[in-house]
Amino acid sequence: MTAQAEIAAGYASESATIELGAVLVDGTVEPTAHVRIPLSMVNRHGLVAGATGTGKTKTLQLLAEQLSAHGVPVLMADVKGDLSGLSRQGAASDRTTARAQDTGDDWQPQSFPVQFLSIGAGGIGVPLRATVTSFGPILLSKVLGLNDTQESTLGLIFHWADSKGLPLLDTKDLRSVIQHLTGDEGKADLKGVGGVSSATAGVILRALVNLEAQGGDRFFGEPELDPADLMRERDGKGVISLLELAELQGNPALFSTFLMWLLAELFETLPEEGDVEKPKLVFFFDEAHLLFSNASKAFLDQIAQTVKLIRSKGIGVFFCTQLPTDIPNEVLSQLGTRVQHALRAFTPDDQKALARTVKTYPTTPHYDLEKSLTSLGIGEAVITVLSEKGAPTPVAWTRLRAPRSLMDTIGNDAIKQATGASDLHGKYSESVDRESAYEQLMRKVAPPQQQERQRAPEPQRQEEEPGLVEKVLGNSAVKSFLRSAGSALAREITRGVFGTSRKRR
Ligand SMILES: Nc1ncnc2c1ncn2[C@@H]1O[C@H](COP(=O)(O)OP(=O)(O)OP(=O)(O)O)[C@@H](O)[C@H]1O
Ligand SMILES: [Mg+2]
């Protein structure tokens, strides 16, 4: 048996797979030696990493295509606009033909159902929004760049608004609550909240005003995104939702936290699935380093926890970044699929990152990993995944298949046209400003019961004895999640694992 065949044997699978490419050893590729991910393991998450220009985006395109073809919806950020080509058939060329031959692929041009989304109004896709209440203090602190003290103060401010049943739909609402709490009338309320210094509240207020001045407020408000709109099928194919982010590069923290909010929302709304034959949805975090840089401890803990728990909801998460060392260990250790494109080793820091990356791979008799990782060609990667049984597969230097859709942008005009024609357009294009904290504080705080009745349909009630739950579940995150998921014991707004709140429609 050749070395290529020996490695490929570790990727044999009885059930449906995503075909990544063919094994290469000592510079020789073997088209029949396939490298693949069992579809049932995609919710064990993954990492696509590599230096700039090494083929990361094309790998994401390849993954998205095959997921869609298997009826799995996909959500991904289109950071540079080049993923919009998923909606068009690819062009055959000598290069694609050669790659198809190398990888044992019966390549055919193909297009996939795509919907284009944007964060907030003013983008080229259908605008998505979230309310400030639903976003919650942890994520908002990340967007505002608050330090730990300021973050906990923001938490108390949210807590006060939640306990009064004051909905914070947009930044104007939050601003008015902070102004109320730091104004003469609110001083007494502020005492009740405890530990909120008006100086810190002032800092938060300024950060908020800055965010508004940069246009960062256009994303907060209603109608809020219904996660079901991300989990659609068209003609048996999973719909690929592309978040068009080119216009958001000025505020990268906002888009990475927005994706995290979406993930938390999905976690709170989807049922437990246990082991799945194929994922319900796959989520790609491109430029994932933005999510982790300057993140608070609370934020990092919440990401690690959400990634861990979301698997049981049938959701797969793939992070994409230049260096695997951009991802904290608690998250990295949960990523079953590793697609590592070429790394550079120019500087001592590069070399350290390289050595650390090598250590995260299973040992292999076939490659000197340190050398391999720096000599991979474009569109090649060192791969290990989880087998059907959940064990790591042998390390494989892989030549990746070529995407079947267009490897280029379709252009802003075509994207705008598709957006206008989308059935989501009517649902989300206009923002609504219903009565919220701003208006209510203007009129002085009304009794919360009354507000609740005006504001939201009764959530389904489930009898639940609080004393028992508290006793059984020591974990406060789980407690608050259960509370927000099931019961309506309190009139107050409750918060889930990520400090986000359940939607109240
Ligand atoms: N699987 C592939 N099949 C065919 N061509 C590929 C493949 N992967 C990469 N290429 C070629 O390499 C080029 C660069 O790939 P890609 O845009 O995916 O790099 P990247 O790592 O995302 O870069 P950046 O960090 O700049 O975003 C592509 O335009 C394409 O020509
Ligand atoms: Mg790219």
Side-chain angles (χ1 to χ4, degrees):
M1 192 156 42
T2 61
Q4 288 90 330
E6 196 183 309
I7 294 168
Y11 289 82
S13 175
E14 306 261 299
S15 53
T17 57
I18 292 181
E19 297 291 328
L20 293 171
V23 181
L24 207 133
V25 176
D26 295 330
T28 308
V29 65
E30 173 47 60
T32 59
H34 292 228
V35 174
R36 39 167 74 113
I37 316 171
L39 212 50
S40 59
M41 287 293 145
V42 173
N43 70 334
R44 304 287 291 271
H45 310 320
L47 174 73
V48 176
T52 175
T54 54
K56 299 183 297 294
T57 303
K58 300 302 169 260
T59 297
L60 299 190
Q61 187 169 352
L62 185 69
L63 289 167
E65 289 180 349
Q66 293 188 43
L67 288 164
S68 171
H70 279 109
V72 177
V74 168
L75 174 76
M76 61 208 310
D78 190 14
V79 180
K80 292 181 184 156
D82 45 357
L83 285 168
S84 58
L86 277 160
S87 62
R88 295 260 175 91
Q89 292 194 345
S93 69
D94 293 349
R95 304 241 301 269
T96 50
T97 309
R99 217 171 248 273
Q101 266 166 13
D102 288 352
T103 56
D105 181 11
D106 60 342
W107 193 94
Q108 303 286 336
Q110 225 179 324
S111 66
F112 298 84
V114 170
Q115 56 189 20
F116 297 100
L117 310 172
S118 281
I119 295 183
I124 53 178
V126 171
L128 302 185
R129 297 179 186 83
T131 65
V132 169
T133 284
S134 146
F135 214 61
I138 299 175
L139 292 174
L140 190 61
S141 294
K142 179 73 163 55
V143 174
L144 294 176
L146 303 183
N147 66 25
D148 286 356
T149 314
Q150 293 153 357
E151 178 179 307
S152 65
T153 297
L154 187 63
L156 290 168
I157 293 167
F158 267 76
H159 178 72
W160 181 82
D162 290 353
S163 66
K164 295 277 184 241
L166 279 176
L168 308 172
L169 301 186
D170 49 26
T171 52
K172 187 175 65 178
D173 289 327
L174 179 59
R175 199 152 33 83
S176 64
V177 165
I178 300 175
Q179 271 156 352
H180 169 79
L181 285 175
T182 50
D184 287 339
E185 281 176 57
K187 287 269 161 65
D189 286 330
L190 195 59
K191 281 220 185 78
V193 182
V196 176
S197 88
S198 32
T200 308
V203 174
I204 298 171
L205 198 56
R206 276 197 296 283
L208 202 57
V209 171
N210 275 341
L211 180 73
E212 287 174 334
Q214 291 161 16
D217 58 330
R218 66 201 157 99
F219 139 73
F220 292 106
E222 288 188 316
E224 198 169 66
L225 172 69
D226 177 357
D229 288 332
L230 301 176
M231 308 185 66
R232 313 168 100 198
E233 252 187 43
R234 203 181 296 159
D235 304 328
K237 286 184 186 153
V239 170
I240 300 169
S241 298
L242 287 184
L243 265 177
E244 293 301 319
L245 294 172
E247 71 264 25
L248 256 184
Q249 301 208 326
N251 195 344
L254 182 60
F255 92 68
S256 53
T257 23
F258 177 79
L259 287 175
M260 207 58 229
W261 170 77
L262 265 178
L263 200 59
E265 277 288 290
L266 289 164
F267 178 75
E268 312 257 317
T269 43
L270 295 177
E272 246 349 90
E273 298 283 349
D275 288 335
V276 286
E277 239 168 73
K278 61 177 190 183
K280 300 281 162 206
L281 174 74
V282 180
F283 223 85
F284 290 91
F285 271 100
D286 207 349
E287 306 284 338
H289 62 281
L290 297 172
L291 193 62
F292 301 108
S293 61
N294 301 319
S296 69
K297 169 116 181 27
F299 187 85
L300 292 176
D301 287 350
Q302 296 291 18
I303 293 180
Q305 202 187 358
T306 307
V307 168
K308 188 190 272 166
L309 298 174
I310 198 102
R311 179 167 102 197
S312 64
K313 307 271 173 151
I315 296 195
V317 181
F318 277 69
F319 292 97
C320 186
T321 185
Q322 296 208 0
L323 288 174
T325 44
D326 293 336
I327 315 269
N329 278 335
E330 307 84 75
V331 176
L332 200 58
S333 63
Q334 296 180 49
L335 308 181
T337 293
R338 301 288 186 82
V339 180
Q340 177 67 60
H341 289 278
L343 283 171
R344 306 277 168 252
F346 300 144
T347 68
D349 275 354
D350 289 347
Q351 269 145 23
K352 253 188 249 159
L354 176 64
R356 277 174 63 192
T357 306
V358 169
K359 282 203 201 109
T360 65
Y361 274 86
T363 53
T364 165
H366 301 289
Y367 309 105
D368 171 348
L369 277 184
E370 209 150 310
K371 251 200 211 137
S372 306
L373 286 169
T374 48
S375 36
L376 289 160
I378 291 174
E380 293 179 354
V382 165
I383 294 179
T384 175
V385 310
L386 293 177
S387 73
E388 271 177 317
K389 299 198 176 71
T393 56
V395 177
W397 180 327
T398 307
R399 181 157 301 159
L400 287 139
R401 291 188 170 195
R404 297 182 172 208
S405 54
L406 189 67
M407 286 200 275
D408 197 1
T409 178
I410 61 169
N412 281 0
D413 290 342
I415 295 177
K416 281 184 201 154
Q417 202 179 353
T419 300
S422 159
D423 57 337
L424 295 183
H425 190 251
K427 187 170 173 185
Y428 293 111
S429 61
E430 294 298 320
S431 88
V432 289
D433 192 6
R434 65 183 167 101
E435 182 175 288
S436 52
Y438 175 75
E439 291 82 6
Q440 289 175 15
L441 282 170
M442 288 288 150
R443 282 194 281 106
K444 302 283 160 50
V445 183
Q449 297 90 324
Q450 198 183 318
Q451 287 166 18
E452 188 59 26
R453 242 175 281 129
Q454 297 168 353
R455 295 191 31 72
E458 278 304 271
Q460 77 271 45
R461 279 176 189 276
Q462 252 172 37
E463 289 313 321
E464 182 185 291
E465 206 200 313
L468 188 67
V469 172
E470 317 261 301
K471 263 181 250 157
V472 177
L473 299 164
N475 180 326
S476 66
V478 175
K479 262 193 301 194
S480 71
F481 169 58
L482 284 179
R483 245 188 282 131
S484 68
S487 79
L489 286 172
R491 270 178 252 87
E492 64 198 52
I493 295 161
T494 50
R495 299 205 166 270
V497 277
F498 216 101
T500 59
S501 92
R502 286 260 299 169
K503 243 194 293 297
R504 315 205 133 218
R505 288 211 160 88

